[in-house]
Amino acid sequence: MNKEKVIELTITFVRQELSGEGSGHDWWHIYRVTEMTKTIAQEEGADQFICTMAALLHDLADEKVAGSEEKGLATVREWLTKQEIPLDQQGEIIEIIQTISFKGGHGKELTSIEAQVVQDADRLDAIGAIGIARCFTFGGSKGHLMHDPEEKPKEQMTEEEYRKRNGTAVNHFYEKLLKLKDLMNTSTGKELAKERHRFMQDFLEQFYAEWDGRR
Ligand code: ADP
Ligand code: NI
């Protein structure tokens, strides 16, 4: 198996699988998560191949993308086998994909440094400037209001409630985005999250000032 070739082929495969994807898991999300993954993996001494492959494939098993998690995982397994990736490495990649999703904070515990790296990279893409942009894009695509001062955020939710929620984009900051900083795994992730967290707090402060006509 030629790792570089496999990564190249996987990029083409994922781009094709995600074409037309509109739930916030488009190719460019994968691109950003993969680049961030490489940077964090380098600093944390994690396996670059496992991390890169998991980052590239991480959203193919998302139920919003694949229809169901089982169906998505089967597609990923089939792909990894076709690339002649050794079974133990396949297992590591699949394990990462299965464990990193947020699910309202109800995710499973992570078993490897590689999983920690990819989860941090995925979460970093939900905060900071990109995170803010994704949040309002998501809300807009669902027809949600960007803000309603009379609707308070609901900070404790079951996985089911989180998935079904029709809340405003601003409430999503309190329900997910502002929690992510304290959920980072690696020290590199924590450092980056801190900067992006501060940026979101500044954004909200300015947003409320403008909302109420303050100067
Ligand atoms: P992930 O794949 O990172 O676990 P999701 O599938 O939950 O994330 O969401 C994709 C993107 O849409 C993320 O940036 C997330 O913050 C945003 N998003 C998810 N749910 C909402 C919501 N109810 N309101 C606004 N943005 C949301
Ligand atoms: Ni993702």
Side-chain angles (χ1 to χ4, degrees):
M1 175 194 56
N2 175 335
K3 289 182 178 175
E4 271 167 39
K5 187 75 195 161
V6 168
I7 287 172
E8 212 177 284
L9 288 169
T10 303
I11 289 173
T12 310
F13 171 67
V14 172
R15 282 192 85 144
Q16 185 189 318
E17 289 286 308
L18 292 177
S19 66
E21 166 54 37
S23 71
H25 304 87
D26 56 287
W27 161 251
W28 294 111
H29 163 66
I30 306 302
Y31 167 81
R32 294 187 302 268
V33 172
T34 305
E35 293 310 301
M36 191 79 260
T37 289
K38 290 188 213 162
T39 304
I40 302 176
Q42 174 81 33
E43 300 227 2
E44 301 289 331
D47 186 281
Q48 283 285 0
F49 178 68
I50 298 290
C51 284
T52 303
M53 287 297 287
L56 285 170
L57 295 163
H58 85 273
D59 270 340
L60 290 191
D62 191 296
E63 55 192 11
K64 293 188 263 357
V65 177
S68 80
E69 193 179 324
E70 293 77 51
K71 217 169 120 194
L73 283 173
T75 309
V76 172
R77 266 201 204 93
E78 198 183 312
W79 175 256
L80 296 175
T81 305
K82 197 172 151 201
Q83 303 316 310
E84 298 177 350
I85 294 170
L87 274 180
D88 57 331
Q89 294 186 21
Q90 287 195 27
E92 289 177 51
I93 296 166
I94 293 277
E95 169 80 15
I96 298 174
I97 298 171
Q98 275 181 306
T99 48
I100 63 169
S101 117
F102 176 73
K103 299 201 174 114
H106 302 273
K108 298 191 210 144
E109 229 171 84
L110 302 184
T111 46
S112 65
I113 176 72
E114 285 76 23
Q116 294 182 0
V117 168
V118 180
Q119 185 178 64
D120 279 2
D122 194 29
R123 287 178 167 173
L124 283 165
D125 204 54
I127 60 177
I130 299 266
I132 294 171
R134 284 180 85 205
C135 177
F136 286 98
T137 302
F138 182 101
S141 76
K142 299 277 181 200
H144 300 168
L145 281 180
M146 67 173 180
H147 180 46
D148 177 354
E150 290 169 359
E151 191 185 311
K152 296 300 164 216
K154 203 169 165 204
E155 295 195 44
Q156 292 298 327
M157 283 184 279
T158 63
E159 189 177 331
E160 187 70 9
E161 283 173 320
Y162 173 75
R163 281 294 174 218
K164 295 229 168 85
R165 184 132 170 91
N166 282 326
T168 65
V170 165
N171 278 346
H172 188 63
F173 280 73
Y174 301 96
E175 290 164 2
K176 175 179 175 183
L177 310 187
L178 294 170
K179 293 178 179 176
L180 293 177
K181 168 177 72 72
D182 293 329
L183 295 174
M184 301 305 285
N185 307 297
T186 66
S187 54
T188 315
K190 283 181 188 152
E191 214 175 286
L192 287 160
K194 222 166 135 185
E195 293 164 19
R196 295 186 188 196
H197 187 88
R198 202 171 305 125
F199 187 84
M200 292 195 294
Q201 286 177 318
D202 291 347
F203 171 83
L204 285 172
E205 203 176 303
Q206 173 83 10
F207 186 97
Y208 294 132
E210 293 182 14
W211 189 273
D212 291 322
R214 280 183 274 132
R215 50 173 299 171

